[in-house]
Amino acid sequence: MQSANRSATTQTDASVVEARDVTMRFGGLTAVGGMSIALRRGEILGLIGPNGAGKTTLFNLLAGSLKPTAGAIRLGGADISHEGPERRIARGLGRTFQIPRPFSEMTVLENVLTGGQAQAGEQIWSNFLRPGRVAAQETAAVDKARALLDFVTLSALEGEPARVLSGGQRKLLELARVLMADPDILLLDEPAAGVNPTLLEFIIARVMDLNASGKSILLIEHNMDVVARLCSRVVVMAAGKHLAEGAPAAVARDPAVIEAYLGDVA
Ligand SMILES: Nc1ncnc2c1ncn2[C@@H]1O[C@H](COP(=O)(O)OP(=O)(O)O)[C@@H](O)[C@H]1O
Ligand SMILES: [Mg+2]
């Protein structure tokens, strides 16, 4: 029927990034097995599931650092499965790492600048031909990096080597770094794991700010309280598969979800 077709099309169009039936095998281990997920424009979608469920592997597939054994990744309606991570960053897809690994001897400011490499200084020919323009771009990049350090309250540390940062400060630096490339879509892998309660509140507020400024966000987070505050919709992954989906409160009392978490503890 015409109307049914139209509504199906609308749903597809509303998704900014999507994994369709993706599988990732590492030798004999199926880390992700036939998983589908779609992030809709403007939402904060929670991705939860027990340790080892395949959440980070799914992020690697979405961001392009892994190529799926089977299935497809779609961004803005286009199949981008064959594209590498840099191309996906240039398309507006940003991701943070669960365990940030800043360049420890580079300064905090320099680390943020590495997040914008796709933009400035990369085109060798224009560097030769237009050195003035490159210098201007670099000044603009430094201004932008400083504004982002201000956004995550790390300005006072901009000249320090990243190795002096605490675990929580590394999470903040990671956020600033990924924002350097102006992503429309953010994949945040446990951005608040292991931080103190004050910093947790700060990170929640920043995630809300980023969403309010128009970014669509896919968030891996274990703290269901945080998920309930940030997300109207949650996808549960277990053993590499889509297990459940819905409002946080409904998902939290789903017997299949409870069982998956109990299995994790046992
Ligand atoms: N590069 C890899 N090589 C082999 N096994 C991996 C690799 N990455 C992840 N795995 C395995 O895949 C499974 C899912 O891991 P992961 O995606 O990190 O789960 P989660 O983020 O949900 O905790 C785990 O069993 C993990 O050991
Ligand atoms: Mg993980």
Side-chain angles (χ1 to χ4, degrees):
M1 305 289 276
Q2 188 69 13
S3 61
N5 280 343
R6 199 173 294 136
S7 99
T9 308
T10 306
Q11 265 196 351
T12 306
D13 287 350
S15 91
V16 285
V17 69
E18 194 178 343
R20 278 197 194 169
D21 205 13
V22 288
T23 291
M24 185 72 226
R25 289 194 197 97
F26 297 110
L29 179 96
T30 303
V32 175
M35 174 74 190
S36 295
I37 191 170
L39 175 67
R40 298 173 192 155
R41 186 174 307 285
E43 78 173 331
I44 306 178
L45 174 61
L47 177 60
I48 68 168
N51 284 325
K55 304 180 298 295
T56 294
T57 302
L58 181 65
F59 266 30
N60 288 334
L61 292 166
L62 290 168
S65 46
L66 285 175
K67 296 285 155 62
T69 311
I73 306 299
R74 297 177 68 83
L75 195 147
D79 187 337
I80 56 154
S81 306
H82 60 286
E83 292 182 358
E86 288 79 14
R87 183 78 197 101
R88 296 187 200 191
I89 291 168
R91 282 182 181 271
L93 184 70
R95 71 85 61 95
T96 63
F97 287 91
Q98 183 174 351
I99 300 163
R101 293 202 170 79
F103 296 101
S104 57
E105 296 309 317
M106 281 168 59
T107 67
V108 167
L109 180 67
E110 286 164 348
N111 268 281
V112 177
L113 284 164
T114 64
Q117 274 175 349
Q119 285 169 332
E122 203 185 50
Q123 294 131 321
I124 293 162
W125 293 112
S126 76
N127 287 8
F128 272 118
L129 300 171
R130 310 274 301 274
R133 200 182 96 198
V134 173
Q137 276 181 347
E138 276 168 13
T139 308
V142 168
D143 288 348
K144 184 171 167 186
R146 289 207 163 112
L148 289 170
L149 283 175
D150 188 43
F151 178 70
V152 298
T153 66
L154 287 180
S155 296
L157 295 169
E158 74 158 56
E160 299 292 329
R163 68 179 143 75
V164 309
L165 298 184
S166 68
Q169 288 169 331
R170 282 168 202 228
K171 293 279 189 189
L172 296 173
L173 173 61
E174 179 70 350
L175 193 57
R177 181 193 60 75
V178 73
L179 291 172
M180 228 7 235
D182 288 326
D184 307 314
I185 305 164
L186 280 171
L187 311 178
L188 304 179
D189 196 347
E190 303 195 25
V195 307
N196 69 54
T198 310
L199 189 50
L200 178 65
E201 286 306 315
F202 178 76
I203 291 174
I204 290 171
R206 296 285 88 155
V207 170
M208 285 176 172
D209 289 343
L210 291 167
N211 181 242
S213 77
K215 298 186 195 303
S216 311
I217 300 174
L218 179 58
L219 173 76
I220 300 177
E221 171 57 52
H222 283 293
N223 183 332
M224 271 310 281
D225 207 45
V226 173
V227 170
R229 285 170 62 190
L230 286 173
C231 311
S232 52
R233 194 165 72 96
V234 182
V235 168
V236 187
M237 220 179 149
K241 290 184 163 57
H242 181 291
L243 179 69
E245 181 171 334
V251 155
R253 58 173 181 264
D254 182 331
V257 174
I258 294 165
E259 199 189 316
Y261 275 92
L262 290 176
D264 181 43
V265 172

